[in-house]
Structure formats: C-alpha cells, structure tokens
C-alpha cells in the first residue's frame, strides 16, 4: 500500500516551518483551540484487517484468516495475527519466536502479556491499527505516548522502512519547531510516562524548544499583543508572556524548562519571577485542597521535595527573586521541615536584602482561623539571622538603621492584630539591638497601638512590652504623650515624670554645670529612687500637675528673658 502522510490544521503547515502559534501567545493556556494533527499509513502492509471491533475489554481484528495471537495490555485483550505484528515489532517478533520454540507447534494461539507499556491500551490500539494498515491520527496529546510505545516495541526502520518510530519522530520534531501550544501539550501529556519521556529525551527537547521561544524576542514574530496589553499581572509582558503556560507543568518538568532557560541566558530576575509565579499557583492548589485524594504522608513528602527543588533552582544573583516570595518559601520550608541547610540559604538571602525591602514585603499571611493574621515567626527568624550576620555586611551601621525603620513599620502593621500574642510581639520588639534606631518614636507608637488593641494584658505583660523604651531616645512630643498615656505601666510613667522634672530643673537653673549629669546617670538615679518608693496613681497625678505648673512658670520666665533682651538691645543702640 502506498505511503501517505497528511498534516492538517488551520494553516496545514509543512515540516520544519518555524512559526509561533498566534492562539497560544494570545490565550496563554495550553488547552483549547484547533490542534495540529497527522494522519499516517504504513508504506508496506503484510496483512490488512477488514475490521477492528471492540467487545467490552476485547479487541478483535478481522482478516482473511483466524487470529493466532492474543496480546494482553492492562485489562484489555487484543485478538490479532502474528504476521502484521511481528513484521513491525522486533520486541513481539522475539517473544513470538521464543514462545513458538518452547511450545513446538506453529499453529497454536500464543498468549502474550505486556506490562508497563507506555501509553497503555490507547497507545497499543494505535500501534495495532498501524500494523494492520489502518490510518491513525496523531496529535500533540498522543504523539509522546505513541513514540514511547513504538520504542518499547522496537518498531524501528531497521525492521521495516517507514516504521512507527520514524513516523512519530518526524511529527514530534515538527510540533516542537512549529507550535508553542503543542510543545506545552506534549510536555504535559508526557507526565504519566515521565521516565520514558526523559530517557528518550522528549522532556529535554520540549524544554529546549520552550526555552528557545521564551528567550526569543516576540516582536520578531507576528502575533497579537492584545493579551500582553490587557494583562497587567507582570510589569514587562514582553519578558513574561510565557509564565502562565509553564506554570501548568509538573515540578520535575518545570525544573527542566527553567534549567534550559537559564542556559539560554534569560535575565535572572525574569527566571526568579517565573519560579515565583509557578510557586504561587502551586500554593493556591494546596490551599484549595486539590490534592486531598493523595494519601497524607505522600502529599507531605511531595510538598517537601517540591519546596527543596524550588530553592535549589532559584537564580543565585542578587535581587533575582522578590523578598515576599522568598519569605513565603521560607514559611513553607519551616512548616514542611525541609533540609536545614536550604532553610539557611533562604534566611541568608532574605537577610541580605532586608535593607531594600518594604513593609508590605514582610506581611506574610497566616491561613489558620485561630492564628494571628501575619506569620511573625518567619520574620523573627530572619531578623535573628540578620543580627547574627551583620559583620558580613558592608557599611553595617547605615543598613542597620534602615532595617530598624523597616521593623518599626512592620510592628505598627501587626500591632493591631488581636490574636498576636504578647510573647511574639515582645520578641519582635527586642529582636534588633538598641543602636538600630536613631529615635524610638515609631517603636513607641507601635507599642502603644499594641496595648490599645490588647486591653486585657496584665501589668507584668505591659511592663515587659515597654521594657525597651528609654526617656532619652524619645522626642519631646513622644515624652509628653508617654506621661499622659494611661495604657502604659505605672512604673514607666513614673520614671518619665521624674526624669522630666529633672530636665526642667536643669533648664531653670542659671548655672547648669552644678547639675550637669549624663542621661545615663540621671536614669540610674531615678530608677534607684523608684525602687525605694512605691507611688500610687494619686501621687503620679500630682507629679504630673507639678510638671505642668513648672512648665508654665518656665515659659513665663523665658518670655520675660526675651523682653529684657530686647530692651537691652534698644538701650545699647
């Protein structure tokens, strides 16, 4: 029978033509749309089947002679003839020869069971039709399983020219060169036969084809930019139009694609953004419970391995991955108890980029109903690593002050959370050293907001939260607020009132050298006085009134001084 080969589709493209799919670039999704397909017939057929019938799980080939071969694939039985099958398959030829020698009679019906055939019953059905001279339709969805099945059955041109391996190989190469959409579909449909697809380099070739197209400037090809214009998920759609498609791939195939893209020289920040996009999709599938059918221990193991793989393939260049994504990855790694060395890698990366982060980057949300709104433990772990590694930083003092402002802003955001425990908040407050801040006003603001959102704290808990506040590190405005703030512990308010009295006394004296003391000495003296005396609320209120009266008197004295100075100037002139 004469060989025929036909490729159908919207454009009826010929082999080797290189053109991007308009549909894939504007739609961004692997599924849907018209597909390239190939209808093939073998060049030489040794026996043509009149019909090919299916009865339940039995497939029966009708020809001019009775069937003499039964092949069991999975739950299905194929009643066939030896001649067309062994003439195309070296594997079946060898099995039939061995069975015939063992049984001694060439007329007996042979029963052969094939286990682990790539593609299973569907692929073998196409193989049988091909061997009997029936036309078979190959698409991107079945070409990979059929190609692997042909290799399994050893259907090479050495046995018969124009055999199934060469036919499927030609169409496979055509799809990889011509169609972005079909290349993704081939890779996706290779997942059930991943080991065969990797051994036969289907995964590698698809990954390289995807990398070539992703790294090629899309402006060089004619496709509609409407998708890029309307989708604002990424800042630069020219670089990221392929993100959505590759995010549908399984982790091992996704890794192959990323490695191919790296070899092609894609910008590290684009690679990092793609990994972040894939991970976001993966996390959403977990949160939606799409893997509930998988046994729990297998699911946990799969998630742990997936997280470790993602950390390993991250670009090592600085700022190649967003801080917020790295924090989410760190949170997942802590929950899944991944390799400690990989956790340290993440902590180091995040710590080294803290001075470039924004408060919004640190807001890692919790999923549980009873937990706090934000995962504070992740941030605390990073801060502890940052403090322990400040010696490795260039210009550590300047960067420490930047991180101090960042942490104060973060504290203000999380302080409103009613479910945030006092232990977690206090640990965050004390995470950075005292020299991390020029001024504690923002820190005081965060502490005051926390006390306001948690009115049921005990006096001891309030004292512990406010322990870091120091009089000399607050502005005058903040000091005034502290002395009037009834949410603060009584001991702290008393100390601030006494220190304010000391400062005002120094201001009113004409000879300050007599009362000169360092701030530290003054604080030590006041604290000793407070230990000796226990003041009640009424005494504190009286002290506050005294302070206000002294302030008023000091203001009057200052006004008189200014008037006298003006009069003196007039007299001199």
């Amino acid at each position: 029978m004469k060989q025929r080969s036909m490729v159908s589709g919207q454009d009826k493209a010929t082999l080797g033509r290189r053109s991007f799919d308009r549909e894939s670039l504007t739609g961004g999704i692997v599924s849907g749309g018209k597909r390239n397909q190939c209808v093939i017939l073998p060049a030489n057929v040794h026996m043509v089947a009149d019909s090919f019938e299916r009865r339940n799980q039995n497939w029966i080939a009708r020809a001019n002679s009775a069937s003499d071969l039964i092949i069991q694939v999975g739950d299905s039985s194929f009643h066939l003839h030896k001649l067309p099958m062994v003439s195309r398959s070296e594997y079946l030829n060898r099995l039939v020869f061995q069975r015939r020698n063992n049984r001694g009679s060439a007329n007996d019906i042979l029963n052969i069971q094939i286990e682990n055939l790539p593609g299973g019953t569907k692929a073998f059905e196409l193989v049988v039709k091909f061997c009997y001279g029936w036309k078979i339709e190959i698409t991107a969805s079945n070409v990979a399983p059929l190609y692997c099945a042909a290799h399994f059955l050893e259907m090479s041109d050495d046995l018969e020219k124009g055999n199934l391996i060469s036919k499927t190989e030609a169409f496979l190469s055509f799809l990889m060169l011509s169609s972005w959409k079909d290349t993704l579909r081939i890779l996706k449909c290779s997942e059930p036969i991943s080991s065969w697809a990797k051994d036969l380099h289907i995964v590698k070739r698809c990954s390289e084809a995807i990398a070539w197209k992703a790294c090629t400037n899309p402006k060089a090809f004619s496709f509609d930019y409407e998708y890029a214009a309307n989708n604002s998920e990424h800042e630069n759609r020219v670089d990221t139009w392929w993100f959505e498609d590759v995010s549908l791939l399984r982790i091992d195939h996704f890794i192959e694609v990323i490695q191919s893209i790296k070899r092609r020289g894609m910008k590290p920040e684009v690679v990092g953004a793609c990994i972040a996009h894939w991970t976001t999709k993966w996390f959403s599938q977990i949160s939606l419970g799409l893997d509930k059918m998988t046994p729990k221990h297998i699911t946990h193991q799969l998630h742990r391995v997936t997280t470790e793989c993602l950390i390993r393939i991250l670009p090592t260049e600085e700022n190649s991955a967003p801080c917020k994504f790295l924090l989410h990855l760190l949170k997942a790694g802590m929950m899944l108890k991944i390799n400690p060395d990989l956790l340290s890698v993440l902590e180091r990366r995040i710590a080294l980029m803290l001075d470039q982060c924004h408060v919004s980057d640190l807001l890692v949300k919790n999923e549980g109903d009873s937990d706090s709104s934000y995962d504070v433990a992740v941030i605390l772990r990073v801060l502890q690593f940052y403090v322990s590694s400040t010696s490795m930083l260039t210009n550590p003092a300047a960067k420490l002050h930047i991180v101090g402002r960042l942490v104060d802003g973060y504290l203000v955001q999380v302080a409103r959370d009613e479910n945030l425990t006092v232990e977690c908040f206090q640990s965050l407050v004390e995470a950075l050293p005292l020299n991390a801040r020029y001024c504690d006003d923002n820190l005081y603001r965060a502490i005051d907001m926390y006390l306001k959102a948690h009115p049921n704290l005990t006096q001891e808990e309030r004292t512990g939260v406010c322990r870091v506040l120091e009089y000399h590190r607050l502005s005058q405005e903040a000091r005034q607020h502290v002395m009037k703030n009834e949410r603060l512990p009584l001991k702290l308010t008393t100390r601030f009132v006494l220190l304010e009295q000391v400062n005002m006394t120094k201001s009113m004296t004409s000879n300050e050298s007599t009362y000169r003391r360092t701030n530290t000495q003054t604080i030590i003296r006041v604290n000793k006085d407070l230990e000796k005396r226990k003041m009640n609320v009424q005494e504190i209120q009286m002290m506050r009134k005294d302070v206000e009266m002294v302030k008023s008197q000091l203001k009057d004295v200052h006004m008189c001084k200014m008037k006298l100075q003006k009069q003196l100037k007039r007299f001199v002139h």
Side-chain angles (χ1 to χ4, degrees), residues 39 93 104 210 328 433 478 534 564:
V39 180
N93 194 336
I210 291 170
H328 278 286
K534 290 186 177 180
L564 288 172

Side-chain angles (χ1 to χ4, degrees), residues 160-201:
E160 187 77 40
K161 189 170 180 61
N163 212 344
L164 192 55
I165 289 179
S166 61
K167 295 284 188 183
T168 50
E169 165 67 30
F171 188 60
L172 196 63
S173 300
F174 161 68
L175 290 180
M176 291 179 187
L177 286 171
S178 64
S179 173
W180 165 270
K181 167 178 60 69
D182 285 335
T183 305
L184 266 296
R185 187 177 286 116
I186 291 169
L187 202 50
K188 188 68 180 172
C189 293
S190 296
E191 291 179 359
I193 52 167
S194 183
S195 59
W196 274 92
K198 289 177 181 178
D199 291 342
L200 295 175
H201 305 293

Side-chain angles (χ1 to χ4, degrees), residues 272-280 283 310-311 314 320-331 346 350 361:
C274 180
I275 296 173
H277 186 81
W278 187 95
T279 308
T280 301
F283 276 131
L310 290 170
I311 297 172
L314 281 172
S320 57
C323 179
K324 194 163 190 175
F325 162 63
L326 294 178
L327 284 168
H328 278 286
L329 210 54
L330 177 61
K331 177 182 176 180
L346 275 183
I350 299 169
D361 296 328

Side-chain angles (χ1 to χ4, degrees), residues 293-542:
M293 299 303 293
T294 309
K296 189 173 182 179
H297 67 282
I298 296 178
T299 302
H300 186 274
Q301 174 72 9
L302 175 63
H303 294 166
R304 184 170 69 248
V305 171
T306 300
T307 304
E308 291 178 346
C309 290
L310 290 170
I311 297 172
R312 289 190 177 99
I313 64 172
L314 281 172
T316 57
E317 289 80 2
E318 187 177 356
N319 299 325
S320 57
C323 179
K324 194 163 190 175
F325 162 63
L326 294 178
L327 284 168
H328 278 286
L329 210 54
L330 177 61
K331 177 182 176 180
M334 292 168 60
M335 292 172 56
L336 297 168
K337 298 180 180 179
I338 66 171
N339 188 315
D341 294 336
L342 292 177
L343 280 181
S344 297
V345 169
L346 275 183
E347 290 167 355
R348 175 182 171 82
R349 291 192 64 161
I350 299 169
L352 292 177
M353 62 190 304
L354 271 181
D355 57 308
Q356 304 171 35
C357 292
H358 302 284
V359 173
S360 59
D361 296 328
L362 305 184
L363 298 177
V364 180
K365 287 192 175 182
N366 267 331
E367 303 296 337
D369 296 332
S370 59
D371 296 330
S372 57
S373 300
Y374 300 105
D375 195 326
V376 175
V378 175
I379 306 302
L380 183 60
R381 181 163 178 154
V382 171
L383 290 177
Q384 291 170 344
F385 188 90
Y386 177 82
V387 172
S388 65
S389 61
T390 49
S391 59
M392 299 184 299
L393 302 175
T394 57
N395 195 8
K399 292 186 176 180
L400 188 59
H401 289 140
I402 295 173
V403 174
R405 289 196 297 271
L406 175 72
V407 173
D408 288 347
Y410 177 74
L411 285 169
V412 169
Q413 291 293 323
V414 301
R416 303 183 182 94
D417 188 356
E418 296 179 357
N419 293 324
L420 181 61
T421 64
V422 65
E423 293 81 10
C424 287
F425 184 78
Q426 186 174 342
S427 298
L428 272 177
V429 167
E430 300 175 354
L432 294 180
L434 291 176
N435 62 342
R437 300 173 177 91
Y438 290 115
C439 177
D440 284 353
D441 282 16
N442 289 331
L443 180 61
Y444 167 65
R445 180 187 171 205
I447 291 174
D448 186 42
M449 292 178 66
Y450 184 79
L451 295 178
K452 185 177 181 180
H454 301 79
N456 297 323
L457 294 180
T458 64
Q459 193 72 10
E460 290 76 15
E461 290 173 334
R462 292 171 183 272
T463 302
V465 170
C466 300
R467 186 168 54 197
V468 297
L469 294 177
E470 295 292 346
Y471 177 86
H472 67 282
R473 298 178 64 85
L474 293 176
S475 66
Q476 186 62 32
E477 183 182 358
R479 293 172 189 171
Q480 297 301 318
H481 193 277
V482 168
M483 290 186 291
K484 298 176 182 179
N485 192 344
E486 297 180 354
R487 289 186 289 270
L488 297 176
L490 185 62
K491 185 177 180 180
L492 178 71
T493 306
T494 305
R495 189 170 81 243
F496 271 57
V497 170
L498 291 173
L499 288 170
E500 188 71 10
Q501 283 183 329
V502 172
N503 273 356
M504 284 191 298
T505 304
K506 288 169 61 179
S507 300
M508 293 180 66
T509 57
S510 58
N511 187 6
E512 292 189 9
S513 60
T514 308
Y515 299 93
R516 190 171 296 162
R517 266 184 210 94
T518 63
N519 287 327
T520 304
Q521 289 172 331
T522 304
I523 292 171
I524 291 173
R525 181 181 175 184
V526 169
N527 286 337
K528 286 182 179 179
D529 290 341
L530 287 174
E531 290 175 1
K532 294 177 182 177
R533 303 169 57 194
K534 290 186 177 180
M535 297 184 179
N536 56 30
V537 178
Q538 289 76 17
E539 288 178 316
I540 292 296
Q541 289 176 349
M542 289 178 63

Side-chain angles (χ1 to χ4, degrees), residues 119-241:
T121 303
K122 291 183 178 180
F124 192 70
E125 177 190 350
L126 295 175
V127 169
V128 171
K129 289 181 177 179
F130 176 80
C131 292
Y132 276 98
W134 284 48
K135 68 178 182 180
I136 61 174
E137 189 176 278
I138 309 177
T139 65
S141 299
N142 64 19
V143 65
L146 188 58
Y147 180 71
C148 294
H151 273 274
F152 181 95
L153 296 171
E154 302 173 30
M155 302 177 70
S156 66
D157 282 7
D158 294 339
L159 192 64
E160 187 77 40
K161 189 170 180 61
N163 212 344
L164 192 55
I165 289 179
S166 61
K167 295 284 188 183
T168 50
E169 165 67 30
F171 188 60
L172 196 63
S173 300
F174 161 68
L175 290 180
M176 291 179 187
L177 286 171
S178 64
S179 173
W180 165 270
K181 167 178 60 69
D182 285 335
T183 305
L184 266 296
R185 187 177 286 116
I186 291 169
L187 202 50
K188 188 68 180 172
C189 293
S190 296
E191 291 179 359
I193 52 167
S194 183
S195 59
W196 274 92
K198 289 177 181 178
D199 291 342
L200 295 175
H201 305 293
I202 295 176
V203 174
K204 182 179 180 181
R205 290 167 62 190
C206 285
S207 300
E208 290 175 347
I210 291 170
W212 174 76
K213 291 165 185 171
C215 295
T216 302
N217 185 358
K219 292 182 180 179
F221 301 88
S222 58
F223 73 94
D224 195 345
Y225 279 92
E226 182 181 354
Y227 174 63
N230 293 337
N231 193 325
S232 58
E233 183 178 355
H234 303 288
E235 293 182 1
N236 190 350
R237 296 305 305 172
V238 174
D239 288 333
T240 62
W241 58 266

